[in-house]
Structure formats: C-alpha cells, structure tokens
Amino acid sequence: MLPDLTCLTLDTDRLRLESISDAYTDAIFGEFTPTIATYMYPAPAQERTDTEHFVAQAVQHNAQGHDLTLVILDRQTGEFLGCIGLHNLTEPRPVFGIWVKESAHMHGYGREAVRALKRWADRFLDYEYLTYPVDSRNMASRKIPESLGACIVNQYDGTGGMGQPLTLITYRIDR
C-alpha cells in the first residue's frame, strides 16, 4: 500500500524531496526556463496560471496515486532546486522525469534525487522496471540512469513543447 503521496518527504545527505504543493508555484514558474526545457517535452509556462494548473494537476495525481511529483530542495537551506517525478505508478514500467534549475547544474543533485526516488520505488511499488527517457544529446542527464546500471531499450524521434526536435532514448532501470 502506498503512503500518502500528498505529504511525502524523502531525505538524502544533501537534499529533501517533498510532495509538490502550491507553495512552489513561483519557484517552478521562474526556474523552468527555455534553457531547462531544451531537451524536454514540456514547454516553459508563458503565464503563471499555466504553472498553477500544472501544480494543481500534479497535486491531484499525487492524491490519486497515479503519479508522484516532488520538489527538490537543498536540505540545509530549503532552496528550491527543481522537480522530480515518477509517473504511471500503477503500471509495470513507471517513468522518471526530472529537471534541476540551471544555477544548480553540475552538482550531482539529479543523480542524488533519482537514487532516492528509486529507493522509495523499490520499497513501495510493484514494478517490472523503471524507465528514464532522455534526449540523446543531454549527456549530463544520460549519466544518471547509466550510474544505476541502466540499459537503453528504445530510441525514437519526437518534438518538444517548444517545437524543438528530440531524439529520445529510453533507459531501463532494474530493481
């Protein structure tokens, strides 16, 4: 049985992963920029109301147990660093999604957050394997599943939310 996903907290040495809430709307709106979205499907919100809608939907999906969306915070200072999600929780192959704000890149926060969420999934989910889709050009993000021993199971072309072409690869992350 899943714990309450609307008030979940996961701590690591440096990070706190906390269930998304409207308290983070401004931070998400300000930090999910075109640069961050370069290799991603979602496009940055044009209006704050778009981010409000995203957050409300994520809170609802957490409450329903379909997805788990968390914010990534600096454990010591509480500074907002990004968002992480595990989607399709009741399916055999839940899907990771993550972004870290530009000023927090190259500190290993993404890897640390994904490892923490994988540990949670291993404890609470019955899954075949986890998937991690990433654009093939996003080398920093590719290193995250590779650090967990993941292998590539699929590659396909797509288009991101800003109209940019993507060449996505999907990693399989086993228990």
Side-chain angles (χ1 to χ4, degrees):
M1 186 167 147
L2 288 177
D4 182 352
L5 303 183
T6 63
C7 59
L8 188 68
T9 300
L10 305 174
D11 285 331
T12 70
D13 289 341
R14 300 181 299 160
L15 304 176
R16 171 160 285 160
L17 309 182
E18 186 176 288
S19 295
I20 194 168
S21 72
D22 60 2
Y24 298 102
T25 301
D26 287 333
I28 294 167
F29 179 66
E31 297 293 350
F32 191 68
T33 64
T35 301
I36 295 300
T38 298
Y39 298 120
M40 300 177 69
Y41 273 124
Q46 296 297 309
E47 306 287 334
R48 186 179 188 283
T49 55
D50 297 333
T51 303
E52 290 169 359
H53 175 74
F54 162 77
V55 171
Q57 187 173 41
V59 168
Q60 180 181 15
H61 288 179
N62 281 2
Q64 294 169 340
H66 297 300
D67 298 326
L68 175 58
T69 302
L70 305 163
V71 294
I72 305 167
L73 308 172
D74 181 290
R75 189 169 166 197
Q76 297 300 315
T77 66
E79 176 187 359
F80 175 86
L81 301 173
C83 289
I84 186 169
L86 196 54
H87 308 287
N88 306 322
L89 297 179
T90 60
E91 299 296 320
R93 300 173 187 160
V95 180
F96 271 108
I98 185 170
W99 64 271
V100 174
K101 69 181 184 177
E102 194 171 2
S103 64
H105 283 182
M106 307 310 292
H107 295 284
Y109 295 137
R111 184 179 301 185
E112 192 171 330
V114 167
R115 286 179 182 268
L117 191 49
K118 183 188 181 302
R119 280 192 302 273
W120 178 87
D122 288 349
R123 180 172 175 198
F124 290 103
L125 299 180
D126 180 24
Y127 66 88
E128 181 183 351
Y129 59 86
L130 303 173
T131 61
Y132 186 106
V134 60
D135 187 87
S136 63
R137 298 164 293 174
N138 191 345
M139 297 310 294
S141 190
R142 288 183 62 177
K143 290 178 182 179
I144 294 172
E146 291 170 1
S147 76
L148 294 167
C151 63
I152 296 171
V153 294
N154 194 11
Q155 180 170 332
Y156 56 98
D157 292 326
T159 303
M162 298 182 300
Q164 76 278 26
L166 300 174
T167 301
L168 294 157
I169 52 179
T170 303
Y171 284 92
R172 171 187 173 140
I173 303 171
D174 291 317
R175 282 190 178 270

